[in-house]
Structures are given as structure tokens and as C-alpha cells.
Amino acid sequence: MREYAFQRKVSETENLSLLLQELKQRLRLKNIPHRVECFDISNLYGTLAVGSMVSFLDGRPDRSQYRHFKVHAPSFPDDYAMMYEILKRRYSKLEGARNLRTFSSWTGARGS
């Protein structure tokens, strides 16, 4: 039973390593990304805008680093301004704090 659990863990780690290698290759990155952060904006007809971030460390979810952002951007719906705000808030806090290989992705509809 222990041997099976160990083999499963080794296999999972190998699969994650292969996936990260493929991500590096497909996106033409110089290094395998150590951390991947994905962002999204959500709002209700341009009001009550929030941003969210999920984070993966070495291919595994890092739930302790998930973040929500209350967006203070313009009163009219501007997806680009809202995304800019949360990205600026996220990375201004990290500047110089860590030297991790990070890949960021953000999603959303066509900007309004």
C-alpha cells in the first residue's frame, strides 16, 4: 500500500514536470515557470467590480496565495483599467520581495 502511494506521488510529480516543460515550450518562455498566476475580472453591468487571482506553485494549486481584489477603477465599465489596477496592486507589492520565475495570465471578454 505504501509503495503504491509512493509510486503514485512520483508519477504525479513527473506529470507536472512534463506539463510545465510543455508550457515553457508552447509559450516560448526562457525558463520553466516556478509560479503561475491567473487573473480575472468580474462585474455586474459595470458595477461591483472585483478581481481574482489563483496561483500555482510548481504546477500545484497554491491556495494560500489566492487573492480577491475590490476594484476601485472608474465608475463606468472599463475592463482594461480594472485589470491594470489589480495587476499593478499585485505586482507593486511583490517588487523586490521575491525572485521567482512567474508566469501571469489574465482572461476576460473584449474590453469595454
Side-chain angles (χ1 to χ4, degrees), residues 1-9:
M1 186 70 122
R2 288 182 184 173
E3 186 175 322
Y4 172 74
F6 175 75
Q7 285 292 21
R8 199 173 92 196
K9 194 71 165 175

Side-chain angles (χ1 to χ4, degrees):
M1 186 70 122
R2 288 182 184 173
E3 186 175 322
Y4 172 74
F6 175 75
Q7 285 292 21
R8 199 173 92 196
K9 194 71 165 175
V10 168
S11 176
E12 180 183 318
T13 302
E14 289 173 354
N15 287 339
L16 288 174
S17 179
L18 290 173
L19 286 171
L20 290 171
Q21 183 64 36
E22 185 175 347
L23 181 66
K24 173 190 175 259
Q25 181 182 3
R26 286 184 181 229
L27 297 177
R28 298 181 183 137
L29 302 173
K30 289 182 180 180
N31 299 310
I32 292 175
H34 180 62
R35 176 175 300 280
V36 175
E37 296 180 344
C38 304
F39 296 84
D40 195 16
I41 296 287
S42 181
N43 62 69
L44 183 62
Y45 302 108
T47 63
L48 305 173
V50 295
S52 59
M53 179 193 86
V54 295
S55 183
F56 297 85
L57 185 61
D58 294 325
R60 290 190 169 85
D62 186 6
R63 290 182 176 89
S64 68
Q65 294 299 310
Y66 285 16
R67 298 288 181 264
H68 289 107
F69 301 88
K70 188 174 182 180
V71 178
H72 307 290
S75 57
F76 56 91
D78 183 346
D79 293 342
Y80 297 115
M82 290 186 280
M83 186 61 75
Y84 175 79
E85 179 184 325
I86 67 168
L87 291 171
K88 183 176 178 182
R89 285 167 53 191
R90 169 64 179 159
Y91 292 115
S92 66
K93 290 179 181 179
L94 289 180
E95 196 170 316
R98 292 189 264 177
N99 187 16
L100 296 177
R101 292 174 298 206
T102 301
F103 172 75
S104 296
S105 169
W106 46 93
T107 64
R110 188 181 222 163
S112 41

